């Protein structure tokens, strides 16, 4: 027995040496490199904005030859219209009391239903991808102001390439912070009473409205939807909307609201547009659609 | 097998002596000479202790080998029972105690110079505050021409992992740590001092040779302990001043005024003073 | 005796295990996919992963995609002689390279092994498409097996159909990418993760969390708002570290390593942003949740999946081409000198008046610095106690205070401590004010301040660590006088 201990000991020591010296891992393997040429798949329009195909996912446009139509409609709240309590009651702002909620409550604009008409305000209805075409852009910049610590336009559709002029009508500073998906974010401080403004230009259309916040006043929120075509609308106080000059055809609109469960009220709202005036739509939603 | 243990214990003193003899030639010694004044004395202490321990080690092993050899010669020899020798025990208690006491007293001088503030050299230059943190050395120099203060001052000059000191003059750093224990270790200067949370520890040394020396952390301080690599750059006093001026100018850079201009302004100001 | 034998046996078993683990290769590093990929329907997940992998590769087989402005490390050279095949497995060429890169001494592989070989001309004829050929598959993905810088003999890891002829130009691509990957895996991966997702093994223990590169957002840059960092910015961060965070300084790291890491970090950032954008395109309509909702709303599941298939086939590649162009441009743009934010006027002398004006601005309604940084600059302004809305989920965060773009709680800088993460030069503070800090609530004040005002503010901010209640009172008095005299 005694004699066997020695070789075992030697083996142990050697084994230990070999086993423990085998450290390393990721830092000691050298990767292989392969080259991929700059060009994407042959024939793809390199660097161009992807254009909508005639038959694509989000929308199913089958433009019919001849004429454009106007689509009108209303978003209606089916049920007892909810009245949300104000976010900040008059004179009770957690900060900047002399300006914010100084003369009026700061309303909760996340869901505004007209008590008389039951119309839902600030619902976005838009085409994700428009039929091909060259659509004239507005010549004037959009204006986006803030007053009494409220973004004065809570929900708006803007155009790609057309500046949105961010203004400040309050005697205090605000910062405007956007959270886009495809565009570059903006986080810009606006000094008090800045009427010269800071231009914000979206370079690409978005699929859902972009949230705009003010980090200094946590309750301030707004939504901007940049599109590269004019076929979108935000509903007015009575829930009505209007989309003009739509080439006749079958469309699938997206209907989006900030309180909608899962974002969209309708991901594919199919409408066939005839040339000229179309039958006004009445689109009804219930409290449960808004998570109430 | 009879002589195995005898040979076994005799081999080690021979190996030890052999190692000492060939070590300097094989590069198994200190990585460099000690490039600081105290470092040389610390090395001397080390050699003294090494000699004492070496002599004792070799002596005891020779004695052990001899006893074993002698005991194995006569297979019929019988062991005897003993209560031990009182005299012998007194001797082998007093002799090592004496040696230890000698070492303890002998090193006091170096210890005092290294650690006791009243024994620090008179013309110490307080060169910087070195703050260890996981996992780097943050260095704060006083503004050029100003003394180092305990609290950060406007105009202080900051660096990281790069400590410059003038050569051939005793310099002092104030060592602290921002988080856990670290240890400021410059092997070539034989400087090693733990940094303790909540304490500011003065450490002085005098570099005798211009050069770049490794600065490492000698206290396992966390998973990134090995990352705490820094360097100590010992340079001529005027180079050190120029370095500090330049660092200060770079730190005051406003993106418009060229650093050279700022430097020449600073020089002019200093000349006027 | 039995116990001793048992112990011995156990030790041997343990050591054997150790040895076996050495024989088996270490677990292969992988790029963890974007967290949100799991939210997609199954049919959408794989195409995204495949698209990203095809364009960027895996940690052990990286793709040097020439559409990206990354310096992969390119060596050009010329074939001097093609040797006949010896063992029929690989090709040997004698080449003349214009330059041979220096590799660190402890480089864990033979020089240039694994680097891609691309011919610019082959058999005397020019080769198009990035040196990669016509359809002959045996010329795609050529890599170096061995290279001897002394003799210039290059061994290819693959076999070629026909030999190149003397005088053919070739390019060896990727030595810098390799070096970056190896150095990154040694120095950075613990915190920043293999994919640069800021999710390495030590990340959960760190506050602030390590940077997740995959949004292309880097906080401390010398470029304008929304712009990517320059190479110099990244290099500076690596060299200087970020005081006040766990990012240490790699001051003594070899220059070549730092440069290679910078390229690799840029590569990972571009990869991450590309992946992120692909997921963005799909998640609105094809997340498991969205599909369930659509089915509830009356659509047929099979229709949705057909639609998804069409989308993946027809539209996603175009979107990908567009996105990579956009990302590449964003990174390319910042390397131009005009992309740097540089003050137009030199710093205002740091006088008491200047600081007083700066303090007035600091406290003013124009800037509202105080809302976050607090009246004394301690980083304890009222916003640190406000609950913030999570834009992604429309719910309030469960903790009070500010939140960054990555959804992590973030504290405004305590300006009294004299620790400046992005650097303490006046220029650095100028840029933080002018540009803001990307990915955080700190906004750009470019539109709200003029040059002198920013410098006044810089002077004040740099003086905060040394101020006392007395100096504050004096500054306020001076500021009041200045206002009075203006009127």
């Amino acid at each position: 027995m005694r004699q066997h201990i020695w070789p075992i000991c030697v083996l142990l020591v050697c084994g230990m040496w070999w086993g423990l010296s085998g450290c390393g891992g990721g830092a000691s393997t050298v990767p292989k490199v392969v080259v991929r040429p700059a060009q994407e798949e042959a024939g793809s329009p390199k660097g161009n904005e992807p254009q909508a195909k005639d038959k694509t996912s989000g929308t199913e446009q089958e433009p019919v030859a001849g004429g454009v139509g106007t689509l009108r409609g209303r978003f209606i709240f089916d049920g007892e219209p909810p009245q949300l309590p104000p976010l900040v009651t008059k004179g009770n702002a957690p900060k900047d009391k002399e300006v914010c909620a100084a003369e009026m409550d700061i309303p909760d604009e996340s869901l505004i239903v007209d008590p008389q008409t039951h119309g839902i305000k600030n619902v976005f209805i838009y085409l994700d991808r428009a039929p091909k075409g060259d659509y004239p852009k507005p010549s004037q910049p959009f204006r986006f102001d803030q007053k009494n610590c409220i973004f004065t336009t809570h929900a708006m559709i803007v155009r790609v390439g057309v500046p949105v002029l961010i203004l400040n009508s309050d005697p205090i500073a605000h910062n405007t912070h956007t959270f886009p998906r495809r565009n570059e974010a903006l986080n810009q401080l606006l000094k008090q009473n800045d009427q010269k403004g800071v231009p914000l230009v979206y370079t690409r259309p978005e699929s859902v409205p972009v949230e705009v916040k003010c980090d200094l006043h946590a309750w301030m929120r707004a939504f901007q939807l940049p599109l590269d075509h004019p076929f979108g609308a935000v509903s007015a106080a009575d829930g009505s909307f209007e989309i003009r000059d739509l080439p006749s055809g079958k469309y699938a609109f997206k209907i989006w609201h900030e309180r909608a469960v899962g974002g969209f009220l309708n991901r594919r709202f199919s409408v066939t547009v005839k040339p000229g005036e179309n039958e006004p739509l009445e689109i009804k939603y219930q409290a449960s659609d808004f998570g109430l | 097998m009879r002589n195995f243990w005898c040979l076994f214990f005799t081999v080690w003193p021979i190996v030890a002596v052999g190692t000492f003899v060939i070590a300097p030639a094989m590069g198994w010694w200190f990585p460099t000479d000690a490039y600081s004044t105290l470092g040389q004395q610390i090395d001397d202490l080390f050699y003294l202790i090494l000699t004492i321990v070496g002599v004792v080690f070799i002596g005891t092993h020779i004695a052990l080998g001899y006893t074993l050899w002698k005991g194995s010669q006569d297979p019929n020899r019988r062991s005897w029972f003993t209560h031990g020798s009182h005299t012998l025990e007194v001797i082998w208690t007093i002799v090592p105690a004496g040696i230890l006491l000698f070492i303890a007293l002998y090193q006091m001088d170096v210890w005092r110079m290294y650690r006791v503030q009243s024994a620090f050299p008179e013309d110490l230059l307080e060169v910087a505050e070195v703050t260890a943190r996981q996992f780097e050395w943050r260095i704060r120099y006083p503004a050029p021409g100003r003394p180092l203060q305990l609290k950060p001052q406007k105009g202080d000059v900051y660096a990281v992992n790069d400590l410059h000191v003038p050569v051939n003059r005793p310099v002092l750093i104030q060592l602290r740590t921002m988080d856990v224990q670290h240890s400021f270790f410059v092997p070539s200067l034989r400087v090693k001092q733990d940094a303790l949370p909540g304490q500011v520890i003065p450490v002085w040394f005098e570099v005798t040779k211009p050069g770049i020396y490794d600065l490492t952390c000698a206290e396992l301080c966390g998973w990134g302990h090995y990352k705490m690599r820094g360097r100590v750059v010992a340079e001529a006093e005027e180079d050190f001043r120029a370095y500090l001026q330049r660092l200060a100018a770079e730190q005051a850079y406003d993106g418009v005024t060229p650093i050279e201009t700022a430097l020449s302004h600073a020089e002019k100001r200093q000349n006027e003073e | 005796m039995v116990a001793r034998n048992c112990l011995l046996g156990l030790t041997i078993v343990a050591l054997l295990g150790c040895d076996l683990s050495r024989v088996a290769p270490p677990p292969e590093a992988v790029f963890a996919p974007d967290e949100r990929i799991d939210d997609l329907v199954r049919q959408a997940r794989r195409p995204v992963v495949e698209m990203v992998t095809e364009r960027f590769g895996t940690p052990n087989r990286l793709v040097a995609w020439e559409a990206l402005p990354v310096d992969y490390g390119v060596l050009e050279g010329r074939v001097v002689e093609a040797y006949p095949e010896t063992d029929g497995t690989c090709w040997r060429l004698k080449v003349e390279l214009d330059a041979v890169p220096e590799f660190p001494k402890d480089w864990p592989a033979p020089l240039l092994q694994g680097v891609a070989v691309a011919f610019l001309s082959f058999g005397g004829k020019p080769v198009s498409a990035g040196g990669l050929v016509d359809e002959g598959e045996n010329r795609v993905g050529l890599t170096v097996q061995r290279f001897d810088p002394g003799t210039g003999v290059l061994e290819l890891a693959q076999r070629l159909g026909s030999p190149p002829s003397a005088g053919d130009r070739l390019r060896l691509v990727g030595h810098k990418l390799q070096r970056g990957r190896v150095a990154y895996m040694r120095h950075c991966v613990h915190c920043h993760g293999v994919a640069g997702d800021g999710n390495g093994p030590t990340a959960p223990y760190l506050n602030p969390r390590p940077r997740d590169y995959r949004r292309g957002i880097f906080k401390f840059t010398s470029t304008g708002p929304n712009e990517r960092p320059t190479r110099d910015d990244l290099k500076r961060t690596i060299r200087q570290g970020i005081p006040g965070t766990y990012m240490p300084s790699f001051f003594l790291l070899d220059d070549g390593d730092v440069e290679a890491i910078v390229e690799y970090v840029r590569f990972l950032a571009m990869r991450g942003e590309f992946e992120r954008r692909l997921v963005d395109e799909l998640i609105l309509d094809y997340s498991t949740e969205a599909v369930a909702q659509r089915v509830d709303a009356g659509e047929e599941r099979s229709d949705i999946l057909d639609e998804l298939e069409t989308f993946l086939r027809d539209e996603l590649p175009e979107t990908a081409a567009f996105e990579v162009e956009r990302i590449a441009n964003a990174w390319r743009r910042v390397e131009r000198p005009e992309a740097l934010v540089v003050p137009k006027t030199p710093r205002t002398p740091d006088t008491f008046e200047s600081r007083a004006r700066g303090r007035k601005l600091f406290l003013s309604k124009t800037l509202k610095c105080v809302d976050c940084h607090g009246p004394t600059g301690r980083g304890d302004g009222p916003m640190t106690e406000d609950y913030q809305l999570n834009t992604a989920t429309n719910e309030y965060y469960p903790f009070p205070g500010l939140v960054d773009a990555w959804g992590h709680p973030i504290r405004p800088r305590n300006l009294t401590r004299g620790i400046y993460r992005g650097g303490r030069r006046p220029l650095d503070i100028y840029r933080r004010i002018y540009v803001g800090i990307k990915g955080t609530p700190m906004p750009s004040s470019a539109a709200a301040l003029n040059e002198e005002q920013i410098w006044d503010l810089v002077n004040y901010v740099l003086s905060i660590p040394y101020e006392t209640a007395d100096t504050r009172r004096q500054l306020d008095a001076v500021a009041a006088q200045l206002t009075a005299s203006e009127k």
Side-chain angles (χ1 to χ4, degrees):
Chain A
M1 184 65 209
R2 260 301 130 81
Q3 285 85 334
H4 296 307
I5 294 256
W6 285 106
I8 289 174
C9 281
V10 170
L11 226 137
L12 271 179
V13 170
C14 292
M16 203 160 12
W17 180 263
W18 194 63
L20 295 183
S21 61
C23 304
S28 57
T29 40
V30 173
K32 195 178 138 180
V33 180
V34 290
V35 174
R36 181 184 166 89
Q39 288 89 344
E40 270 291 310
E41 290 66 37
S44 86
K46 188 182 154 209
N48 288 338
E49 178 69 22
Q51 287 294 321
K53 295 260 161 52
D54 286 344
K55 177 110 180 140
T56 54
S57 54
T59 53
E60 40 185 75
Q61 304 95 348
E62 289 160 16
V64 185
V68 290
T70 299
L71 191 67
R72 286 180 218 278
R74 278 185 69 219
F75 294 107
I76 292 167
F77 193 87
D78 191 7
E80 186 59 31
Q83 295 303 327
L84 302 180
L87 287 173
V88 180
T89 49
K90 185 181 160 185
N92 283 328
K95 58 192 284 197
D96 299 320
K97 277 193 179 46
E98 65 284 7
V99 178
C100 301
E103 280 145 28
M104 52 179 271
D105 292 347
I106 291 176
D108 185 348
E109 291 179 285
S110 66
L111 178 59
I112 304 174
V113 182
D114 185 33
Q116 271 89 52
T117 60
H118 287 213
I120 313 169
K121 199 185 171 185
N122 292 338
V123 181
F124 287 82
I125 175 165
Y126 57 99
L127 285 182
D128 197 9
R129 300 271 163 93
K132 273 183 189 159
D134 203 12
Y135 305 108
K137 283 180 184 170
S139 53
Q140 289 295 311
F142 295 92
R143 290 167 70 86
F144 182 68
D145 202 354
Q146 29 215 329
K147 180 116 186 97
N148 298 327
C149 304
I150 306 168
F151 287 120
T152 50
T153 321
H154 185 72
M156 66 198 287
I157 289 181
V158 300
R159 273 297 275 284
V160 167
V162 178
V164 183
L165 208 53
I166 306 170
L167 307 167
N168 182 4
S169 301
D170 271 336
I172 53 167
H174 286 295
N175 83 318
T176 304
H177 197 164
T178 66
F179 295 83
R181 282 164 180 266
R182 293 190 184 131
N183 290 279
E184 300 285 354
L186 174 106
N187 184 6
Q188 181 68 53
L189 191 94
L190 281 129
K191 60 182 170 189
Q192 74 275 48
N193 302 317
D194 187 349
Q195 293 304 310
K196 210 170 85 204
V198 175
L200 159 64
V201 183
Y202 290 100
T203 54
R204 300 191 60 200
E206 295 272 353
S207 299
V208 285
V210 174
E211 168 147 25
V212 184
K213 279 182 21 172
C214 169
D215 294 309
L216 295 170
H217 305 99
W219 61 84
M220 289 175 72
R221 281 177 102 198
F223 294 90
Q224 297 178 348
L225 176 66
L227 295 177
D228 54 356
H229 56 78
F231 307 123
V234 178
S235 62
D238 61 352
S240 67
F241 68 89
E242 181 185 77
I243 300 173
R244 288 161 169 274
D245 300 330
L246 202 53
S248 53
K250 195 171 173 225
Y251 294 99
F253 282 92
K254 285 197 186 304
I255 301 177
W256 186 95
H257 186 267
E258 58 181 291
R259 294 233 10 185
V261 178
F264 293 100
L265 288 170
N266 236 321
R267 285 171 188 276
R268 293 168 63 89
F269 183 77
S270 293
V271 186
T272 308
V273 178
K274 301 192 300 283
E277 285 293 323
N278 281 273
E279 183 78 7
L281 300 164
E282 287 229 329
I283 307 167
K284 287 192 176 175
Y285 294 108
Q286 292 161 347
S288 61
D289 291 323
F290 298 96
L292 290 174
Chain B
M1 201 65 205
R2 215 173 57 181
N3 287 332
F4 175 80
W5 291 112
C6 164
L7 287 172
F8 181 83
F9 286 108
T10 320
V11 150
W12 294 116
I14 297 169
V15 170
V17 172
T19 311
F20 289 142
V21 171
I22 61 166
M26 300 291 286
W28 294 345
W29 215 237
F30 291 125
T32 61
D33 289 339
Y35 296 124
S36 70
T37 46
L38 261 186
Q40 272 141 20
Q41 298 188 44
I42 291 170
D43 278 5
D44 291 345
L45 277 181
F46 175 83
Y47 288 130
L48 174 78
I49 294 169
L50 185 70
T51 314
I52 296 170
V53 171
V55 166
V56 172
F57 179 77
I58 291 164
T60 45
H61 273 74
I62 288 174
L64 189 58
Y66 170 77
T67 317
L68 287 167
W69 174 78
K70 197 163 171 259
S72 65
Q73 288 314 297
D74 179 4
N76 300 322
R77 215 177 104 127
R78 313 225 3 219
S79 48
W80 74 93
F81 182 78
T82 176
H83 276 297
S85 157
H86 192 75
T87 328
L88 213 56
E89 273 177 35
V90 168
I91 292 171
W92 76 47
T93 309
I94 286 180
V95 171
I99 295 172
L100 285 176
L101 192 66
F102 166 72
I103 295 174
L105 294 174
Y106 187 80
Q107 58 83 44
M108 277 236 183
D109 208 27
V110 178
W111 170 251
R112 184 171 146 268
M113 275 194 282
Y114 184 48
R115 289 298 319 140
V116 180
Q117 287 195 43
S118 60
F120 282 5
E122 298 270 299
D123 53 341
L124 263 184
L125 174 70
E126 273 199 57
V127 75
E129 177 193 80
V130 176
T131 307
R133 61 184 289 259
Q134 287 171 324
F135 297 98
E136 61 190 4
W137 305 93
R138 290 268 160 196
I139 293 150
R140 176 171 69 89
Y141 300 100
R146 295 277 181 80
L148 182 71
Q149 305 283 341
L150 195 62
K151 278 192 168 177
Q153 300 295 310
K154 188 135 178 99
D156 280 350
V157 185
Y158 292 80
V160 60
N161 286 352
D162 188 23
L163 176 64
H164 285 239
V165 295
V167 78
N168 286 329
R169 92 169 269 186
V171 294
L172 183 118
I173 58 156
Q174 299 288 2
L175 183 64
R176 54 201 312 174
T177 163
M178 221 178 246
D179 34 53
V180 298
Q181 264 191 55
H182 299 272
S183 185
F184 178 89
F185 183 29
V186 190
S188 297
L189 305 181
R190 314 287 190 262
V191 174
K192 186 191 265 180
Q193 173 61 52
D194 277 16
L196 301 176
Q199 279 195 40
V200 185
I201 302 172
V203 183
W204 81 272
F205 50 90
E206 180 179 343
V207 191
T208 54
K209 185 173 166 254
I212 297 173
Y213 304 107
D214 286 339
L215 162 61
T216 63
C217 178
E219 180 71 62
L220 183 59
C221 58
W223 67 271
H225 170 60
Y226 67 98
K227 287 190 187 195
M228 282 188 77
R229 269 180 76 209
R231 67 177 192 191
V232 175
V233 179
E235 54 201 359
E237 185 132 2
E238 57 270 24
D239 292 342
F240 169 70
R241 296 207 182 284
Y243 165 79
L244 215 55
Q245 289 282 8
R246 179 158 196 97
L247 206 60
E250 277 170 5
Q251 197 178 287
Y253 186 52
D254 62 2
V256 184
T257 324
I259 289 178
E260 302 305 327
T261 322
L263 265 176
S264 62
H265 281 320
E267 221 165 277
K268 217 186 291 170
R269 227 176 303 133
Q270 214 166 33
N271 288 344
E272 279 164 15
E273 278 167 21
Chain C
M1 195 65 196
V2 174
R4 215 171 68 186
N5 279 341
C6 277
L7 204 68
L8 197 72
L10 272 176
T11 320
I12 291 171
V13 168
L15 281 169
L16 260 176
C18 223
D19 290 354
L20 282 177
S21 76
R22 198 185 156 192
V23 176
E28 198 175 323
V30 287
F31 290 135
D34 191 297
E35 297 78 9
R36 294 174 308 156
I37 278 185
D38 292 339
D39 298 338
L40 296 177
V41 286
R42 190 170 46 78
Q43 289 83 347
R45 272 178 231 164
R46 233 165 76 126
V48 174
V49 174
E50 275 171 7
M51 272 179 93
V52 176
T53 310
E54 193 189 327
R55 285 161 180 77
F56 293 90
T58 62
N60 287 335
R61 186 181 171 281
L62 296 168
V63 176
W65 190 8
E66 293 180 328
L68 303 174
V70 177
D71 177 8
Y72 298 113
V74 179
L75 303 167
E76 288 214 9
R78 180 174 80 81
V79 178
V80 178
E81 196 185 343
Y83 297 113
E85 289 177 58
T86 44
D87 49 3
T89 51
C90 65
W91 265 89
R92 288 169 71 234
L93 310 169
K94 189 177 168 71
V95 295
E96 206 175 74
L97 293 181
D98 299 347
V100 178
E102 259 184 53
F103 273 82
K105 277 191 210 77
D106 57 348
W107 186 248
L111 188 70
L112 294 183
Q113 187 180 69
V115 160
V117 182
F119 284 96
L120 296 172
S121 58
F122 197 87
K125 277 175 266 163
V127 176
S128 58
L132 270 199
V133 194
D134 39 39
E135 300 309 308
E137 54 177 310
N138 53 2
R139 275 190 242 156
V140 181
L142 293 180
T143 48
V144 176
Q145 177 64 34
R146 208 162 289 129
F147 175 68
D148 184 346
T151 60
V153 172
L154 183 82
E155 225 171 85
L156 296 183
Q158 297 84 3
R159 201 155 169 259
L160 287 162
S162 56
S165 43
D168 279 346
R169 299 284 302 171
L170 52 76
R171 303 194 320 150
L172 306 184
V173 183
H175 69 85
K176 208 169 187 180
L177 190 65
Q178 278 187 335
R179 188 169 177 184
R181 216 246 23 192
V182 169
Y184 180 90
M185 292 297 249
R186 183 168 298 165
H187 300 291
C188 321
V189 80
H190 319 273
C191 299
H192 292 286
V194 177
D197 52 6
N199 209 8
T202 40
Y205 310 104
L206 307 185
N207 181 16
R209 301 260 318 187
R211 181 64 46 251
D212 169 2
Y213 311 137
R214 296 174 305 170
R215 288 172 189 243
I217 305 176
F218 291 79
K219 283 184 179 176
F220 308 111
T221 72
S222 55
T223 51
N226 305 330
E227 293 288 5
R228 307 296 185 276
T230 64
R231 288 187 169 96
D232 287 343
D233 290 335
L234 296 176
K235 210 185 282 180
R236 198 174 125 87
T237 301
I238 293 173
R239 282 266 182 250
Q240 297 295 314
I242 302 180
T245 75
Y246 271 93
M247 174 74 186
S249 147
F250 293 88
F251 182 77
L252 293 179
L253 204 59
D254 188 86
D255 255 335
D257 274 342
V258 173
E259 267 165 39
I261 289 175
V262 165
E263 290 307 320
Y264 191 64
V265 165
R266 295 170 81 248
F267 171 82
L268 288 180
M270 291 177 211
R271 181 195 170 278
E273 204 179 342
F274 179 77
E275 180 186 41
R276 193 180 158 73
R277 289 292 309 118
L278 291 189
V279 178
D280 272 351
E281 289 300 316
L282 286 163
I283 200 135
L284 275 181
D285 289 331
Y286 307 108
S287 68
T288 319
E289 203 187 335
V291 170
Q293 276 174 18
R294 290 172 69 174
V295 170
D296 282 349
E299 290 185 57
E300 282 293 325
R301 194 181 162 83
S302 59
D303 285 352
I304 300 174
L305 293 180
D306 283 350
E307 177 193 303
L308 169 66
E309 206 177 303
T310 323
F311 181 79
L312 290 172
R313 191 182 59 234
D314 293 346
E315 285 185 44
L316 203 59
E318 277 183 34
T319 310
F322 177 81
E323 281 302 331
V324 75
E325 189 69 13
R326 188 182 67 84
I327 294 167
N329 278 337
W331 284 93
R332 210 173 275 136
R333 195 162 58 222
V334 293
E335 295 298 330
R336 301 198 195 115
E338 64 266 25
L340 295 187
V341 171
V342 180
K344 284 170 213 70
T345 57
R347 177 186 183 185
T348 314
D350 183 16
T351 56
F352 207 69
E353 284 77 31
S354 169
R355 284 188 202 173
R357 289 193 298 268
R359 175 164 166 83
K360 212 179 134 207
L361 283 168
F362 186 83
L363 299 175
S364 72
K365 296 279 181 202
T366 316
L367 291 183
K368 295 190 130 305
C369 304
V370 180
D371 279 17
C372 297
H373 293 286
T376 52
R378 286 186 181 282
D380 55 356
M383 295 308 290
T384 58
E385 292 301 329
D386 235 344
Y387 283 87
Q388 298 285 317
L389 204 62
N390 182 348
T391 51
T393 59
N394 221 348
E395 280 164 11
Y396 283 93
Y397 284 100
F399 47 84
L402 298 160
V403 180
D404 65 14
W406 296 269
H408 303 140
I410 182 174
R411 308 234 10 129
R413 190 61 38 247
N414 179 347
L415 298 169
T416 63
R417 294 201 58 200
I419 294 174
Y420 307 99
R421 293 187 179 174
R424 59 186 316 125
R425 299 176 302 174
L427 175 64
D428 296 321
I429 313 292
Y430 177 98
R431 283 176 174 156
R432 298 297 91 80
I433 295 170
Y434 186 93
V435 179
I437 298 177
K438 293 156 212 181
T440 76
M442 172 81 182
S444 157
S445 306
L449 293 175
N450 63 31
E451 197 83 353
E452 289 82 52
Q453 285 175 315
I454 299 185
W455 280 128
D456 287 341
L457 203 53
V458 169
N459 285 339
Y460 176 63
V461 166
L462 283 172
S463 78
I464 290 178
Y466 317 102
E467 79 175 5
T468 59
D470 273 347
T471 52
R472 271 199 287 275
R473 261 197 301 281
Q474 285 166 15
L475 285 172
D476 288 341
V478 172
Q481 271 174 20
L482 286 172
T483 333
S485 66
E486 270 167 33
K487 278 174 186 164

